[in-house]
Amino acid sequence: MAETAKILSPGKTVLIPDLGSGCPLAAMITAAQLRDLKEQHPGIPVISYVNTSAGVKAESDVCCTSSNLLKVADSFDSDTIIFTPDKHLANYLRSRTDKEIIAWNGYCPTHVRILPEHILRQKRLHPKAKVLVHPECRLDVIELADEVMSTGAMVRRTKTSSASEFVIGTETGLIHRLRKEGSGKRFYPASELAVCPNMKRITPHKVLSSLKGMQHEVRVPDPISRGARKAIDRMLELA
Ligand code: SF4
């Protein structure tokens, strides 16, 4: 995400407060691995989730987010698509489209900790709660949910919904924001295990010391930045 910020604002300084806070899902595919996959399937368009490195984006035709992946996939005439890196997002896409999806075998280690039995338990404990889950979850979890959506959409839905209780199937940190903005509504994590240790490495203290010392500046080499920018711009045009 820091690389994406730098690619979109090349003239600005982008700092990452902790170099160990990279996304494990993004690390599951490299640009070289994607080049190999493209060689095995020549001419097939490549969609990469935003949680990928700049190098992988530069090898992709377009990026997508969890809220626009269906729209992005539908924008291609091709009936086959390569999707990286998350196999669960790819499964979700498969369940919503007739296209054949060639998926990379990556996954978010945090979202896969949410299991069907966790959702069933929360439904038993909170029968009136609406269950909202992120499409990085397993398909058998998604099938138990009332709605599937991005984290941004969850924030909006919980504000506009007439429901007053929600089970939230994504990284548990979102619960904090929902409780802050949720005007007295109640929020329950689908699973207390859905904690991303990498995200938790970014602390207020580290943000402050990063700003004070101007550490660690994110740089993306020009050719990679230009290639990745094309994939991001195409997504923004479609969105
Ligand atoms: S929860 Fe963590 S591992 Fe999963 S996509 Fe987000 S940053 Fe990556």
Side-chain angles (χ1 to χ4, degrees):
M1 296 308 276
E3 283 183 332
T4 302
K6 181 66 184 174
I7 291 162
L8 290 173
S9 304
K12 298 192 179 177
T13 303
V14 176
L15 304 174
I16 181 93
D18 185 318
L19 290 173
S21 62
C23 167
L25 167 61
M28 287 184 188
I29 185 167
T30 64
Q33 286 172 314
L34 179 51
R35 275 195 295 276
D36 285 349
L37 187 63
K38 282 162 61 176
E39 271 174 30
Q40 291 165 37
H41 305 282
I44 303 297
V46 178
I47 303 177
S48 286
Y49 191 36
V50 281
N51 289 22
T52 45
S53 67
V56 167
K57 287 185 180 76
E59 291 291 335
S60 307
D61 293 289
V62 63
C63 291
C64 74
T65 65
S66 52
S67 58
N68 65 24
L69 81 164
L70 299 176
K71 202 173 189 177
V72 169
D74 281 343
S75 74
F76 288 97
D77 290 334
S78 169
D79 55 10
T80 306
I81 280 170
I82 294 174
F83 187 88
T84 83
D86 189 311
K87 64 179 173 184
H88 297 292
L89 268 178
N91 284 338
Y92 171 67
L93 186 56
R94 256 187 215 113
S95 73
R96 274 23 182 203
T97 174
D98 292 334
K99 292 186 189 296
E100 188 187 334
I101 310 295
I102 299 166
W104 190 253
N105 195 26
Y107 59 90
C108 164
T110 298
H111 282 87
V112 298
R113 288 194 197 111
I114 302 172
L115 301 176
E117 49 264 44
H118 298 147
I119 303 287
L120 292 172
R121 179 173 185 275
Q122 291 296 48
K123 279 186 168 195
R124 272 198 309 275
L125 291 173
H126 312 288
K128 290 187 182 155
K130 288 274 174 222
V131 179
L132 311 181
V133 306
H134 194 276
E136 283 173 39
C137 291
R138 296 159 34 141
L139 205 53
D140 51 4
V141 166
I142 286 175
E143 280 162 0
L144 293 170
D146 292 303
E147 290 186 80
V148 190
M149 60 186 71
S150 66
T151 50
M154 285 181 192
V155 174
R156 291 189 294 277
R157 178 71 87 254
T158 55
K159 283 181 184 167
T160 56
S161 169
S162 58
S164 57
E165 294 178 67
F166 299 88
V167 172
I168 301 295
T170 190
E171 212 279 338
T172 58
L174 188 71
I175 299 278
H176 173 72
R177 181 174 166 196
L178 290 169
R179 284 182 182 148
K180 221 167 95 180
E181 299 182 19
S183 57
K185 295 188 176 186
R186 273 179 281 179
F187 303 98
Y188 315 106
S191 169
E192 297 283 356
L193 301 174
V195 177
C196 178
N198 295 59
M199 285 169 71
K200 296 289 183 274
R201 289 179 75 120
I202 305 290
T203 61
H205 176 76
K206 286 182 190 169
V207 171
L208 186 60
S209 73
S210 177
L211 284 167
K212 278 184 175 167
M214 293 307 281
Q215 289 178 334
H216 305 274
E217 189 167 352
V218 176
R219 296 179 196 277
V220 183
D222 274 349
I224 293 177
S225 182
R226 276 196 299 276
R229 177 80 198 228
K230 269 193 211 163
I232 297 167
D233 281 347
R234 185 162 181 189
M235 171 185 76
L236 295 175
E237 279 159 25
L238 292 169

